Structure formats: C-alpha cells, structure tokens
Amino acid sequence: MSSLQKTALVLAGGGSYGAVQVGMLRALCAHGVRPDLVAGSSVGSINGAFYEPSVSGIEKLAALWRGLRRRDIFPIALARLFGALAGGDAFFTPHGLRKLLAAHLPHPLLEDSLIPMHVVATDQLTGAPVPVSTGAAVEAILASCAIPAIYPPVLIGGRQLIDGAVACNTPIRIAVELGATRVILLPTAFACPHTARPRGVFANAFHAMDLVVMQQLAQDTELYSQRARIITVPPICPLAVSPYDFSNAGKLIDLAARSTELWLEGGALGDSEPLIPARRRAVATAGVLSDASSQVHEACGGQTSCPDERQRESSGGRIHQ
C-alpha cells in the first residue's frame, strides 16, 4: 500500500442485514486490511464503533450479533405505542439499544476509538448528513439509528438528528471529504437486485427504501470515483430474511465471511488495480456484477438464495416477514 494512500471503511445501513458486514470485516481483517478511518451510517455506525482490527475484536462483535433478538432492538411498549398514536414522535423507546451499547461498546467516546470513527446521522430539519466524530458514542449511534417514527430523534450539538440512512445510507461522500483516497464499501442486502415484485406493506416499504439507497449509491459512486478508488465488497444476494429479523445473524456472518474470502482471493484489493469507471463498479443501480453473484452462489453451497430459499418462496419476494 502506498504511504500516501488513505483507506476508509464505509459501512452502510440496513437493519439486521448489518450482520453481513461482520462477516466481511472478519475476512478483511484476516486479509490484513487496516483502514485509516471508518464511516458508518445507521446499523453501519454500530458495527463501525465496535470494530477493532483484530481477530478477537471481530469475534466479540460477532458474538454480540449472534445474541441479538428483535425485542432487544424493537421492544413492544404499549404505552409508547399509544403515545405515538396520540401525538408522540416514535413508536419505540431506544432503551434496549442504549443499554446494549453502553454495556458492550469498547470506548465510551468516539475520539478514543482505535481507528478514527465517524458516525453519520441526518439533520431532521434540513435533511443534511451530519458526521459526528467526537463525544459520547452511545448518543451518536442512537442518533444515526433513529429511524423516523420508530425511534425518537437525538439532540446533539443543538441539532435534532435522525437515522443517517435518510440522507446518506452509504457515506462515501463523508469518507472522501475526510481525505480518503481508497474507499472500501461494505454494503448490506439493500444493495441487492430484486427478482420478484414485493408483497405486503412492509415488503413494499423496504423495497422503496432499497430503490432510494441504490440510486443514492450509484450517484455517489459516480460523483466521487475521480477523487478516490471505490471498491465494493459484494453483498450476499438475494436474502430471504427481513431487515428486522435478527435470528439468522450467525448464518449471515459466516456466509458473508466465506463469500468475501473468495472475492479477496481473486485479488480484488490489489494495489496495482487501476481506477475503475463508475459504470463498472461492483454495485450499480441494478445491483452486483455477475462475477460477484457467482462467487456468492458458490459460497452459499450452490443455493440460489441465502439463507433459506423456502422462506423466499413463501413470501413471494426477498423480504420474509
């Protein structure tokens, strides 16, 4: 690696699909990748804040994901639900997530991270992306994960902040503005192409989010490809689980680790690789390149979807309720 090169890990948002990033991080760590900075949005901010470039650090994060349950993140609180219907600002309290973060985060302050960590949230009033690089890590992450109507906004620096995915689900822009000349992008299943029409209210809502995310990603990749080499770790596609179902986390971690190892063995991070035009990136508006898809197919043991094709068939699409 050139001494002038500054590498950033960029971790996208994606709910329970964030488990995929843990597998990617495991493989990248084993490959000797150590970034100069990390930028994460929504669930990517959680993985970024927990990230330590060591086997033990990655395994601690993996253990945390394997122990997660939906009730830890989305508790059923009837009083809060009725309050939201009566004029409140969110259906859930972040108490469970706050407790989880406070108990397990390796550093209480962002500036104490082993690698500079930049949590990306959204200004609720202006819609502008807001990078948070110092201060209480728990508050910054809660802001970045404050899904509108699900979690309440978080006040930081005099601004009400909400989910980073609203303005910048994949914070390539933030990483480049911080001086990154090589961006290694860790997407989630929101980058996957769709093979069937979504069915159901939640499936349609997440499908709409997918379209926004992919369009934003394609635009940012093209816009910043002349300022930095942007390399996308291929996601596992398609996924047959819901972005708010955490029960398959362990399986997703292992599958993503295997597929990323195969991708790395192909020399994807070779320093001699030229700057690739945006239209040939691993992620574009339609999804991943065919070679990445074939590698993932092999990593999944020849199955056409991960982790369970039967779930996808029963739901009529990628999202399983």
Side-chain angles (χ1 to χ4, degrees):
M1 182 185 302
S2 170
S3 60
L4 298 178
Q5 182 168 256
K6 188 174 183 178
T7 297
L9 284 185
V10 170
L11 292 90
S16 66
Y17 300 153
V20 170
Q21 293 174 339
V22 182
M24 294 173 175
L25 288 172
R26 176 194 286 169
L28 289 169
C29 179
H31 197 71
V33 174
R34 183 184 177 93
D36 299 290
L37 65 96
V38 179
S41 184
S42 200
V43 74
S45 72
I46 297 178
N47 286 334
F50 276 94
Y51 169 66
E52 293 182 338
S54 66
V55 173
S56 61
I58 300 300
E59 290 313 309
K60 286 179 183 177
L61 178 57
L64 182 66
W65 269 95
R66 289 191 176 95
L68 280 181
R69 297 295 178 265
R70 183 187 302 181
R71 63 179 177 271
D72 297 326
I73 309 299
F74 302 119
I76 302 300
L78 294 180
R80 188 77 180 182
L81 176 61
F82 290 133
L85 295 175
D89 53 12
F91 285 111
F92 298 108
T93 172
H95 174 73
L97 180 56
R98 178 187 294 277
K99 182 178 179 181
L100 187 74
L101 294 172
H104 297 284
L105 272 173
H107 305 284
L109 299 177
L110 290 174
E111 57 264 39
D112 291 337
S113 301
L114 293 179
I115 296 174
M117 175 62 200
H118 306 275
V119 172
V120 181
T122 301
D123 187 306
Q124 187 181 35
L125 295 181
T126 68
V130 179
V132 182
S133 307
T134 61
V138 170
E139 295 305 310
I141 294 170
L142 289 178
S144 186
C145 295
I147 306 169
I150 302 299
Y151 285 149
V154 177
L155 181 65
I156 297 179
R159 307 169 89 174
Q160 293 284 354
L161 303 182
I162 59 174
D163 192 355
V166 173
C168 198
N169 186 71
T170 310
I172 296 172
R173 165 187 168 182
I174 302 300
V176 174
E177 290 178 349
L178 288 167
T181 57
R182 182 175 74 157
V183 173
I184 302 176
L185 171 60
L186 278 63
T188 59
F190 279 160
C192 291
H194 292 263
T195 58
R197 177 182 176 275
R199 298 179 182 178
V201 174
F202 286 105
N204 275 280
F206 280 108
H207 175 67
M209 186 182 298
D210 287 358
L211 296 178
V212 172
V213 166
M214 286 197 296
Q215 184 67 25
Q216 182 189 88
L217 176 56
Q219 291 174 349
D220 284 353
T221 301
E222 183 173 3
L223 182 62
Y224 293 102
S225 62
Q226 301 307 312
R227 296 175 57 183
R229 188 156 65 98
I230 302 174
I231 305 169
T232 304
V233 181
I236 300 174
C237 295
L239 283 182
V241 296
S242 161
Y244 52 87
D245 176 6
F246 295 85
S247 63
N248 289 291
K251 186 177 294 186
L252 295 181
I253 290 170
D254 293 338
L255 288 171
R258 288 183 61 194
S259 65
T260 304
E261 287 166 5
L262 287 171
W263 176 73
L264 288 168
E265 288 171 2
L269 296 183
D271 291 334
S272 61
E273 179 186 353
L275 193 67
I276 305 173
R279 66 179 179 275
R280 296 178 57 201
R281 300 286 177 196
V283 172
T285 52
V288 296
L289 294 175
S290 59
D291 58 345
S293 296
S294 65
Q295 288 183 351
V296 172
H297 184 268
E298 180 182 347
C300 294
Q303 298 299 313
T304 55
S305 72
C306 301
D308 190 345
E309 176 68 13
R310 290 172 298 177
Q311 291 178 330
R312 181 169 174 265
E313 291 176 349
S314 66
S315 65
R318 182 172 61 84
I319 296 178
H320 169 62
Q321 306 297 339

